[in-house]
Amino acid sequence: MNEIKRMYYVKKAKRVVDVLNKRKYNAVYVDTLEQAKKIVLDTIEEGSTVAMGGSVTLREMDMINEIRNGNYKFFDRFAPGLTFPEEVEVYRQGLLADYFLTSTNAITEDGKLVNIDSSGNRAASMIFGPKHVIVVAGYNKIVKNLDQALDRLTEIAPMNCKRLKNHNNAPCVPTGECVDCMVEERMCNYISIVQQGGKFEGRFTVILVGEDVGF
Ligand code: SF4
């Protein structure tokens, strides 16, 4: 990325981190995904139970393998060979995890985390259930306000439909355009907005990364 452009985005990301801290998340800015990964792994105590939302960002961090191979009890929704009902059962168990790892679809400049979800496990887990929530997001997720956040959800949903086999037949996959479908493969079933992070002190950590990661 052009250096001036990057400097602008980094400044904005740091401003948003300040806002997030004022809104009672534990927020931190880091330059790289590797630094974010170290913070995540340093934060989760050995022996903890861990659940994870579906996330390109976490995949780019190789977080599934890190947790799978670490000294944790992983509610592994990604385990090869799981049927969908089995996967859903893992979602249910993960609702009581010590840590829930996820990204977010949009972060508004005034500190709201906005997400779209198919089964609702990520939306639910961010709001209540797991004792701690750790959010890792690239600075490309920052948007001005709630309207832009909702626009962003509609823009990225077709990409996620293309990425996820259960949603490959959604009508937006070949066109890249949302038609508010009603097909079985619809991905856009739940939208959550986290307004602030302070209801349970220390529950929310947000790591904002100065890289373009995830969708
Ligand atoms: S509502 Fe349907 S068409 Fe629109 S993005 Fe979601 S899955 Fe695609």
Side-chain angles (χ1 to χ4, degrees):
M1 182 186 282
N2 176 285
E3 207 34 52
I4 294 172
K5 197 169 167 185
R6 180 177 154 71
M7 203 189 315
Y8 170 81
Y9 284 119
V10 168
K11 280 183 196 295
K12 185 194 277 193
K14 289 180 176 175
R15 274 202 313 274
V16 170
V17 162
D18 288 343
V19 171
L20 290 168
N21 279 308
K22 284 186 188 127
R23 294 186 78 85
K24 301 187 176 177
Y25 307 88
N26 294 327
V28 64
Y29 169 84
V30 293
D31 282 320
T32 68
L33 216 47
E34 263 318 296
Q35 291 169 317
K37 183 172 174 174
K38 183 169 182 339
I39 292 173
V40 173
L41 294 174
D42 286 349
T43 301
I44 303 175
E45 304 86 7
E46 291 201 348
S48 297
T49 55
V50 181
M52 203 179 288
S55 159
V56 173
T57 302
L58 295 178
R59 281 187 182 275
E60 289 183 27
M61 297 165 76
D62 198 26
M63 201 47 81
I64 296 170
N65 286 323
E66 290 287 353
I67 299 299
R68 218 177 243 165
N69 299 325
N71 188 15
Y72 313 105
K73 161 92 174 82
F74 184 26
F75 296 110
D76 190 357
R77 53 172 293 188
F78 307 105
L82 285 188
T83 62
F84 185 61
E86 288 167 338
E87 190 178 325
V88 171
E89 185 54 31
V90 179
Y91 296 166
R92 284 163 38 79
Q93 293 166 3
L95 290 170
L96 292 179
D98 295 322
Y99 286 89
F100 182 70
L101 308 184
T102 183
S103 188
T104 186
N105 297 128
I107 304 178
T108 65
E109 288 184 18
D110 63 354
K112 298 180 177 106
L113 310 182
V114 186
N115 294 284
I116 194 159
D117 208 357
S118 173
S119 298
N121 61 302
R122 180 171 64 146
S125 295
M126 288 178 83
I127 291 169
F128 188 80
K131 285 185 189 153
H132 301 93
V133 178
I134 303 178
V135 180
V136 183
Y139 61 4
N140 48 308
K141 304 285 182 80
I142 297 172
V143 294
K144 185 88 194 151
N145 52 35
L146 211 43
D147 284 345
Q148 283 191 7
L150 296 175
D151 286 346
R152 187 171 204 284
L153 302 192
T154 305
E155 276 164 24
I156 60 162
M159 289 186 249
N160 277 317
C161 287
K162 171 76 178 159
R163 178 175 70 89
L164 299 166
K165 68 177 185 323
N166 291 344
H167 306 287
N168 276 174
N169 289 326
C172 55
V173 171
T175 64
E177 202 173 334
C178 176
V179 290
D180 193 15
C181 70
M182 292 301 287
V183 299
E184 198 181 331
E185 294 84 359
R186 179 181 168 116
M187 200 209 68
C188 315
N189 298 319
Y190 305 99
I191 288 174
S192 67
I193 301 168
V194 180
Q195 304 256 31
Q196 61 104 13
K199 176 66 184 176
F200 302 104
E201 196 181 340
R203 182 170 182 264
F204 256 105
T205 297
V206 181
I207 306 170
L208 195 46
V209 184
E211 290 181 6
D212 189 332
V213 281
F215 286 170

